[in-house]
Amino acid sequence: MIKEDLVEFLKAYKKLVIMGIGNDICGDDGIGPYIVENIKHLESSNVSILNATTVPENFTGKIRKIDPTHIIIVDAVIMNEGPGKIKIVKKEEVAGVSISTHSMSLSYLVNYLELEKPYNILFIGIEPESMELGQGLSPLVKSSSDEIINIFTEIL
């Protein structure tokens, strides 16, 4: 289902930005950086991979300069659905999702990005198990992250 949703979302893309958000020294909050660092090999003239760490707002200018038709944002998302659960969240639904460690909410980030023009934006959220400082990814969350990496590798 995740793969099919991504394929459908990317059907007509001309330029794509995939941005990972999170803090890789805080356990499962490092999902976004882990995924984007493992798909860097997919970068091309029409696919840009950004590791925004905990400051996605600092990348809005770069995203506007790239001028993508589609943006995918990957992050740890607290959904209360169990560790490792993957969920695709459309930009219209993002206000109802709790994000863990960022100074700017994702709905505000979307609004800010779209000040000049609308983008096709999709979020991939993975439920964290632990966001303890100094921990790596938990096994369930790493498995889900690897699934997303494999899907991107297959479809891009």
Side-chain angles (χ1 to χ4, degrees):
M1 176 92 172
I2 301 296
K3 180 179 174 183
E4 291 79 13
D5 289 347
L6 287 173
V7 167
E8 181 64 29
F9 175 74
L10 293 172
K11 232 181 224 174
Y13 90 91
K14 292 181 180 23
K15 267 192 169 179
L16 170 65
V17 167
I18 301 173
M19 180 166 65
I21 301 174
N23 187 338
D24 58 3
I25 63 166
C26 289
D28 293 335
D29 191 41
I31 293 165
Y34 174 79
I35 289 172
V36 296
E37 289 304 315
N38 282 283
I39 61 169
K40 281 277 191 195
H41 65 281
L42 300 174
E43 275 195 307
S44 66
S45 59
N46 62 342
V47 177
S48 298
I49 311 290
L50 303 175
N51 184 352
T53 64
T54 59
V55 287
E57 59 272 21
N58 290 354
F59 289 81
T60 57
K62 185 170 187 154
I63 290 170
R64 285 194 187 113
K65 197 174 285 184
I66 294 168
D67 194 27
T69 56
H70 292 65
I71 300 169
I72 296 175
I73 299 172
V74 184
D75 196 6
V77 178
I78 298 168
M79 304 170 281
N80 299 316
E81 294 191 25
K85 172 73 175 167
I86 302 169
K87 187 169 185 175
I88 300 285
V89 182
K90 296 179 179 143
K91 72 178 175 183
E92 302 79 22
E93 303 167 337
V94 78
V97 183
S98 171
I99 302 301
S100 52
T101 62
H102 318 297
S103 56
M104 178 186 279
S105 78
L106 288 186
S107 57
Y108 186 76
L109 177 65
V110 168
N111 291 338
Y112 187 74
L113 274 172
E114 293 190 320
L115 283 176
E116 294 172 22
K117 74 177 229 181
Y119 294 99
N120 295 298
I121 301 175
L122 192 72
F123 296 89
I124 299 175
I126 300 176
E127 179 91 38
E129 182 174 349
S130 170
M131 295 194 298
E132 293 291 317
L133 187 64
Q135 299 292 313
L137 295 181
S138 63
L140 274 174
V141 171
K142 184 179 181 307
S143 175
S144 296
S145 299
D146 290 340
E147 181 182 338
I148 297 300
I149 291 165
N150 291 335
I151 291 170
F152 279 135
T153 301
E154 252 182 74
I155 66 176
L156 292 178

